[in-house]
Amino acid sequence: MLHSNYLKQLDLQDIVVFLNLLEQRSAKRTAELMSVSQPTVSYCLKRLRGCFDDTLFASSQGDLLPTTKAERIAPYLRVVVESVNRCAEQEIGWPAVDVNKVWQIYAPEYFELLVLPQAMHALGTAHPNVSLHLERLGRDLPIDRLISGDADIAIGFGPGYHQMHPEVEWQSILNDKFFCLTSNPGHGGAGAMTLDEFCASPHVFPTPWLSEKNMVDGWLEKIGRSRTVLARANGYQACVNIIAAVPATLALPARLLPLLRIPENVMVCEAPMGFPTFTLDMIWSKDRSRSQSIASLRQLIAQASARLLNN
C-alpha cells in the first residue's frame, strides 16, 4: 500500500523522467532522450516535487543538480523501473546466467568492505554456481576491458572523479559523506574540525586508485588550501592504525565507520563545512546493456546497495 495519497498521482513516466534528469542534468536532453516535449518533462517534474515534498533538482549554471533527497530516493526508483522491466520478461526471476559463470569486476576497497558482503549473500542464494572475481580499481577506469567484454562492470566514485567514455553507461548506486578521524592534539575533541585544524594536521589516506591525490585534495585546491600527507596506505584499517600510533588525521567515508576497529585514542568528528561528498557508481559497456548476464550483475549490486540504504 502507498503511504501517501500524493504517491497515487505518480505514473511510470514520472519515474523515468526523474531518473533521466538525474543522469542528464538537463530537461532538454531528457525530453530528447525520451522523445517527449519539454513541457511534458516540466509537468512530470512538478508532479514529482509535489509527491515527494522536495524541489528534487535545483538549477545551477545551466545544469539541474539533484538535492539530497533526490539522491536518496534514486536507488529505490531505479528498482521500481527494473522490477517493471522484469515483469515483461518471459520468466519471472533472475535473468539466466551460465552455470559456473565468473563475473569480472574492478572496484575500490570501499566497495569490497561495504557492498560486496551484501552482494555475495544474495549471490549465494540466487546463483550458487556463479562467482565474482574482483580486481582493485586503478587510477583510470578499465574502459578497454569493459568494451572488449574482459571486464563486466567497474565500480568508481562520482560525480566527475573518473573521465567517462561515450561507449559506457553508468548508474549511481549510493551516496556518502566524510567524517574526520584524528589523534591530533590540536583538535579539542568537540564538534566539527575547522578547516584550519584540518589543513594544519598531518594526514594519511588510502589509495583506492593509483594516484598521488584524491578527491579531498582536489577540493582543497579549488579553495586555495592544501594539506601535508604523512602516509599513503593500501587500506582504510591501515590508515586508522597509523593515526592511532602517530598524531594525524584521516578523512573516512561515513558508511565505513561501523565496519572498522576505531581505537579509543582516535576521535571521530564532523568534517569541515563544505567538505566534498561523493557517489559510488556502477559502469558498464553500452554494447552489453542488453546482456542478461550484465543485467543480473547490475541488479545484484543495485539491490545490495539498496539494502544498505534501508539499514
Side-chain angles (χ1 to χ4, degrees), residues 47-59:
R47 191 155 50 187
L48 285 159
R49 284 169 167 165
C51 289
F52 293 109
D53 192 25
D54 189 84
T55 58
L56 297 178
F57 297 92
S59 180

Side-chain angles (χ1 to χ4, degrees), residues 93-207:
W94 286 56
V97 178
D98 295 337
V99 175
N100 299 323
K101 167 73 177 177
V102 177
W103 276 317
Q104 180 76 34
I105 301 176
Y106 283 79
E109 185 193 15
Y110 179 92
F111 174 85
E112 294 180 46
L113 290 173
L114 188 64
V115 182
L116 183 59
Q118 294 276 354
M120 293 304 300
H121 175 74
L123 184 65
T125 302
H127 295 305
N129 295 321
V130 178
S131 59
L132 300 182
H133 179 201
L134 265 71
E135 291 193 31
R136 186 60 61 89
L137 183 71
R139 178 177 56 195
D140 300 317
L141 292 172
I143 299 296
D144 291 343
R145 296 182 67 83
L146 287 170
I147 293 174
S148 68
D150 292 332
D152 294 302
I153 276 181
I155 306 293
F157 295 117
Y161 295 114
H162 296 288
Q163 184 174 358
M164 292 297 182
H165 189 279
E167 295 303 316
V168 301
E169 295 183 343
W170 63 276
Q171 172 187 338
S172 292
I173 52 179
L174 58 81
N175 60 289
D176 205 349
K177 64 177 184 177
F178 287 95
F179 280 113
C180 287
L181 276 60
T182 186
S183 58
N184 194 321
H187 179 60
M193 289 191 81
T194 66
L195 183 58
D196 288 340
E197 288 174 337
F198 183 83
C199 294
S201 174
H203 285 259
V204 298
F205 73 78
T207 53

Side-chain angles (χ1 to χ4, degrees), residues 7 17 65 71 83 97 114 158 162 187 198 201 238 248 264 272 289 305:
L7 296 177
V17 164
L65 301 183
E71 292 178 338
S83 298
V97 178
L114 188 64
H162 296 288
H187 179 60
F198 183 83
S201 174
E264 292 183 0
S289 290
S305 302

Side-chain angles (χ1 to χ4, degrees), residues 16-17 19-21 23-24 26-36 41 169 286:
V16 174
V17 164
L19 295 175
N20 281 319
L21 285 172
E23 293 189 4
Q24 301 298 323
S26 164
K28 180 181 179 182
R29 290 194 295 270
T30 294
E32 292 172 349
L33 183 65
M34 296 181 62
S35 298
V36 299
V41 171
E169 295 183 343
K286 279 185 178 179

Side-chain angles (χ1 to χ4, degrees), residues 4-6 10 17-18 25 46 114 119 154 173 183 188 190 200 236-237 306-307:
S4 168
N5 287 330
Y6 289 108
L10 283 180
V17 164
F18 171 88
R25 307 293 174 95
K46 180 180 179 181
L114 188 64
I173 52 179
S183 58
Y236 291 103
Q237 187 63 59
R307 281 193 292 273

